[in-house]
Amino acid sequence: DTAVSQTPKYLVTQMGNDKSIKCEQNLGHDTMYWYKQDSKKFLKIMFSYNNKELIINETVPNRFSPKSPDKAHLNLHINSLELGDSAVYFCASSLNPGLNTDTQYFGPGTRLTVL
Amino acid sequence: GEDVEQSLFLSVREGDSSVINCTYTDSSSTYLYWYKQEPGAGLQLLTYIFSNMDMKQDQRLTVLLNKKDKHLSLRIADTQTGDSAIYFCAEKNDYKLSFGAGTTVTVRA
C-alpha cells in the first residue's frame, strides 16, 4: 500500500493555464505538507495543514492555493502558471509536528513542466 | 537551504566508505535528519539523531553530531551501487524541516 500518493506523476502544460495536483495519505496522520524542489534539487516548504487548517504558509505567490477537504488529502491548485513554476512538487505527511520525534513521510513527487 | 549547507557531489568506489557532511545554523534544532532521494523518486527517511546524542549507528549507517560546531555527518560503510542517490540533511525548526541542497553520491565500480 502506498503511504503518501500524488497524482499526476507528470504534468506538462502551457503558460497561463490553471492546474491541480492531488495528494492523499493513508497513514492516519494529522499534518500534511507541500514542498517544491527546483532544478538544482533545492527543496523548500510551501504550505502545511494540520487537521484541515493552514499552519505554515511560506512566501509563496497567491497563485498557489492549497485545499484540504479532509485530513487525509491536501491538494495544490496553481493559477496562471508561469515558466518558473516548473519543478517537482512533493507532498508529505506526519503525525504531529509538535512532537520532537515527528517524522515526515514523502510522496513520489509530481514533475510539473510549464511550456 | 541557506540555513543548512552540504557539499554537492561525492564520488566513491564500491566497497569503500562514504562520508557526507552537513552544517546547520539553528542551535535550537532538536532533531536532525538524513533523507535519501533515488532518481525519479521521493524522499526516504534514512535516519535521524536527537541533539543530545553525538553518535547513532544503524547497520551500515553512522551519524555523527558535533553540536558545538553544528556539524552533522553521515557515514555509509561498504558503499554499494544501490547507495547512488542524493542525500539531504535536514533540521527541524518549529513545525517545518529545512533541507540542505543535497549531496549527489555516485558509486563507481
Side-chain angles (χ1 to χ4, degrees):
Chain A
D1 285 340
T2 303
V4 183
S5 59
Q6 298 178 227
T7 54
K9 190 171 173 63
Y10 300 97
L11 182 55
V12 181
T13 188
Q14 298 285 335
M15 221 166 40
N17 284 350
D18 303 337
K19 290 293 178 186
S20 291
I21 308 171
K22 295 186 176 182
C23 178
E24 176 181 2
Q25 54 93 5
N26 62 7
L27 297 168
H29 287 165
D30 290 336
T31 306
M32 297 183 72
Y33 312 79
W34 276 110
Y35 288 85
K36 178 180 179 181
Q37 186 177 45
D38 63 23
S39 58
K40 295 182 179 177
K41 304 298 182 185
F42 178 55
L43 194 69
K44 192 168 176 65
I45 191 164
M46 301 172 69
F47 301 103
S48 177
Y49 271 72
N50 179 267
N51 274 321
K52 302 192 296 176
E53 290 192 16
L54 184 67
I55 58 170
I56 294 174
N57 186 355
E58 293 295 290
T59 308
V60 177
N62 57 16
R63 298 183 294 105
F64 290 78
S65 51
K67 285 186 173 52
S68 182
D70 55 63
K71 72 175 191 177
H73 295 85
L74 180 62
N75 303 323
L76 184 64
H77 188 76
I78 316 170
N79 289 328
S80 303
L81 277 154
E82 299 177 358
L83 294 177
D85 297 333
S86 294
V88 181
Y89 292 84
F90 286 101
C91 177
S93 74
S94 72
L95 184 62
N96 183 344
L99 296 175
N100 287 334
T101 53
D102 191 57
T103 299
Q104 294 186 22
Y105 294 85
F106 282 76
T110 296
R111 183 175 292 277
L112 171 65
T113 304
V114 182
L115 303 174
Chain B
E2 55 272 17
D3 297 329
V4 182
E5 294 188 355
Q6 303 176 235
S7 52
L8 293 182
F9 302 99
L10 176 67
S11 178
V12 62
R13 189 174 304 206
E14 191 175 8
D16 287 351
S17 292
S18 309
V19 179
I20 308 166
N21 294 303
C22 169
T23 57
Y24 61 97
T25 56
D26 189 345
S27 57
S28 66
S29 295
T30 51
Y31 277 85
L32 297 135
Y33 303 83
W34 284 104
Y35 281 83
K36 176 184 180 182
Q37 184 181 27
E38 295 180 0
L43 275 74
Q44 170 197 355
L45 178 67
L46 279 181
T47 187
Y48 60 88
I49 188 167
F50 186 45
S51 59
N52 70 352
M53 298 170 67
D54 51 22
M55 187 181 90
K56 180 179 179 181
Q57 187 153 0
D58 183 1
Q59 299 181 336
R60 291 191 298 123
L61 304 178
T62 303
V63 179
L64 294 177
L65 175 61
N66 181 328
K67 198 173 178 183
K68 175 176 168 289
D69 294 338
K70 299 191 189 68
H71 182 265
L72 182 73
S73 68
L74 174 69
R75 179 177 178 270
I76 306 172
D78 187 24
T79 311
Q80 303 297 307
T81 54
D83 295 325
S84 292
I86 303 175
Y87 291 80
F88 291 91
C89 167
E91 62 174 348
K92 188 175 178 185
N93 299 298
D94 295 326
Y95 286 2
K96 59 188 180 183
L97 289 177
S98 295
F99 287 87
T103 300
T104 299
V105 174
T106 304
V107 182
R108 59 187 194 278

